[in-house]
Amino acid sequence: MKNDDESVVRIEGLIEEGEAFRRLTTEPRRKHFDVIVVGGGQAGLSVGYYLKKLGLNFVILDASARIGDAWRKRWDSLRLFTPARYNGLDGMPFPGPPHAFPTKDEMADYLERYAAHFQLPVKNGVRVDRLSREGDRYLVKAGALEFEAAHVVVAMASYQGRKVPGFAKELSPEIVQLHSSEYKRLSQLKPGGVLLVGAANSGAEIAMETVTGGHPTWISGRDPGQVPFPIEKPWVHFFIMPFLFRVVFHRILTVNTPMGRKVRARMLTAGSPRIRQRRTDLVQAGVQRVDRMVGVKDGRPMLADGRTLDVQNIIWCTGYDCGLSWIDLPIFENNGEPRHRSGLVESEPGLYFVGQHFQHAMSSTMIHGVGRDASRMVGVIKERWAKRGAARSSITASTVPEASQTTAPPASPFVAHTSP
């Protein structure tokens, strides 16, 4: 009896091995989808929310180990600039008091719950290396993985590659240098002075933390300005913010208005105005405002007025580049920015952007505004997919005998499928 049992186990093992080998040799190595979304942050999840409604077969590729990691990796004390009432994505409000400013971890956890709630097909740990075209479809490569689709949505913020001036390498090795994306907490710094290079939101927020933590603190760089009211005052919450977020950022400052185009051109080079930290707040806290850093002298940071600062730490709040060098398509301007019209790449039908800095409006990179851009791009995908389905139906009808045409039901262009 024992021998019989061993024979059965052996036979079952051989069957399993044979099935595994069959799958390995017969299953396609390239995965086919209707739509590929690159990026699993708030922009990618917003796109996924609308794609799910269409019933299309899609995948969201994200390089992070967990949904929300882009938020978790920021500095520990970071709080959002927008109250909770404006931080929910379409279909799911942000939990908690509506006028509270959530922490970065609360935002990360919300995104993770959002993806789970709507059962969005996110593949984490997949870093895209190349996007190219093959015929009328797009090919996405991520290491040994290949994905193919008729539509690709690049749903990533413009804040990807770190920008640090070339003269940073001339600084004394005794000076601690961190990019704002690397700064987490005060324990990373040496005792002594801190220079924040960049006077926009990140620079001002971190400067307040370093100066209150006992470090003499200087901040340099062009002043991008500030919103003209303190955002944490109750009267601002009730009267100013609804108008600011829903009207000014969402409808007035857009690429369709002269004022919006002017502000966009300035923000792409000078950064966004400070939202929480005001000039008076910085001065009262003891942060010293100095001229721009333009180079290095004797291993120390040199300012435009010729002075040098004897600091032990420098935090580069000098922004990011687009991080889109993996897109192997002729869609870029001379400055490296992708060429698009409110997210629509007219020279590449089937390629879209969501989440880019001032993509359509000032709210495009804000959580409360990304859903509108996502809805617009998915709407274009819907129209194009419907036309493609109608064209296929027309071709099929012209080649099918007349008797068959009267009995075959029309196919829906929004039925999920795994091949073109």
Side-chain angles (χ1 to χ4, degrees):
M1 185 67 180
K2 182 179 179 181
N3 290 338
D4 291 341
D5 292 341
E6 290 177 350
S7 297
V8 170
V9 171
R10 185 180 179 186
I11 291 171
E12 289 177 348
L14 290 172
I15 292 173
E16 290 178 0
E17 290 178 5
E19 177 63 15
F21 179 77
R22 185 195 67 78
R23 291 181 179 179
L24 184 64
T25 55
T26 60
E27 286 191 357
R29 296 179 61 186
R30 182 180 296 183
K31 303 296 183 181
H32 298 267
F33 295 91
D34 299 326
V35 185
I36 297 170
V37 182
V38 181
Q42 55 260 25
L45 298 182
S46 294
V47 173
Y49 170 81
Y50 285 103
L51 287 174
K52 191 77 180 281
K53 289 187 171 184
L54 296 186
L56 291 176
N57 181 36
F58 70 98
V59 66
I60 301 174
L61 306 178
D62 189 70
S64 300
R66 286 176 64 190
I67 295 170
D69 274 357
W71 286 97
R72 293 187 185 93
K73 292 176 181 178
R74 303 300 299 278
W75 67 87
D76 292 349
S77 62
L78 175 64
R79 289 185 299 139
L80 275 67
F81 296 126
T82 48
R85 65 181 292 192
Y86 298 106
N87 294 331
L89 301 181
D90 292 345
M92 183 175 167
F94 196 94
H99 300 297
F101 292 89
T103 67
K104 48 110 178 178
D105 290 325
E106 289 172 337
M107 186 67 217
D109 293 343
Y110 165 80
L111 294 177
E112 199 167 41
R113 290 194 300 270
Y114 185 90
H117 178 76
F118 292 107
Q119 299 180 329
L120 300 179
V122 181
K123 287 187 178 294
N124 286 106
V126 179
R127 181 177 297 277
V128 172
D129 302 319
R130 187 168 183 258
L131 167 63
S132 59
R133 174 185 278 280
E134 284 193 358
D136 62 346
R137 294 177 68 81
Y138 292 98
L139 176 62
V140 173
K141 291 187 177 181
L145 303 176
E146 292 186 355
F147 305 86
E148 182 183 311
H151 303 272
V152 173
V153 183
V154 179
M156 300 165 55
S158 301
Y159 319 118
Q160 302 298 323
R162 302 162 185 164
K163 291 175 67 175
V164 174
F167 53 69
K169 61 181 179 292
E170 301 173 19
L171 289 162
S172 168
E174 297 178 356
I175 297 177
V176 172
Q177 295 189 58
L178 297 170
H179 189 269
S180 59
S181 61
E182 300 169 310
Y183 174 75
K184 300 295 183 295
R185 58 193 70 89
L186 291 174
S187 61
Q188 293 173 278
L189 304 179
K190 294 172 64 173
V194 180
L195 171 63
L196 282 300
V197 182
N201 283 298
S202 294
E205 293 282 316
I206 298 174
M208 289 293 285
E209 179 162 292
T210 59
V211 73
T212 56
H215 293 267
T217 300
W218 292 263
I219 187 168
S220 72
R222 182 187 303 169
D223 191 336
Q226 62 189 25
V227 296
F229 40 76
I231 65 169
E232 298 192 3
K233 296 292 184 181
W235 63 271
V236 174
H237 281 265
F238 288 103
F239 300 107
I240 303 297
M241 282 192 175
F243 178 74
L244 184 69
F245 289 138
R246 299 299 186 193
V247 180
V248 177
F249 291 170
H250 211 51
R251 294 177 173 82
I252 295 178
L253 298 182
T254 77
V255 296
N256 293 334
T257 68
M259 182 186 297
R261 291 190 291 272
K262 182 178 180 180
V263 170
R264 183 180 189 273
R266 182 176 182 274
M267 286 180 59
L268 290 179
T269 56
S272 304
R274 288 187 304 275
I275 297 177
R276 179 178 288 117
Q277 305 300 344
R278 302 164 63 74
R279 295 187 195 93
T280 54
D281 298 330
L282 294 166
V283 171
Q284 291 173 3
V287 176
Q288 302 176 62
R289 187 79 169 81
V290 295
D291 211 338
R292 294 181 303 111
M293 181 181 174
V294 295
V296 177
K297 184 177 181 180
D298 299 328
R300 299 295 171 185
M302 183 176 67
L303 307 179
D305 58 12
R307 287 191 297 161
T308 59
L309 293 179
D310 186 15
V311 296
Q312 285 68 50
N313 309 274
I314 294 180
I315 303 177
W316 299 104
C317 302
T318 42
Y320 303 79
D321 61 36
C322 294
L324 300 175
S325 60
W326 49 272
I327 300 180
D328 189 11
L329 295 167
I331 64 164
F332 294 99
E333 304 283 3
N334 292 333
N335 61 2
E337 294 283 334
R339 189 182 305 111
H340 63 85
R341 179 172 57 84
S342 296
L344 188 66
V345 183
E346 296 175 315
S347 62
E348 284 287 339
L351 181 61
Y352 318 85
F353 284 94
V354 174
Q356 291 288 297
H357 192 50
F358 215 124
Q359 175 173 305
H360 175 75
M362 189 170 175
S363 64
S364 288
T365 43
M366 300 176 180
I367 299 165
H368 76 279
V370 72
R372 179 175 66 172
D373 291 345
S375 175
R376 180 184 292 114
M377 293 302 98
V378 174
V380 175
I381 292 173
K382 177 181 178 179
E383 292 176 3
R384 289 176 172 175
W385 199 266
K387 291 179 180 178
R388 185 175 182 179
R392 286 180 174 177
S393 298
S394 176
I395 293 172
T396 302
S398 65
T399 58
V400 175
E402 186 175 350
S404 299
Q405 293 180 30
T406 59
T407 57
S412 169
F414 303 117
V415 176
H417 60 276
T418 57
S419 61

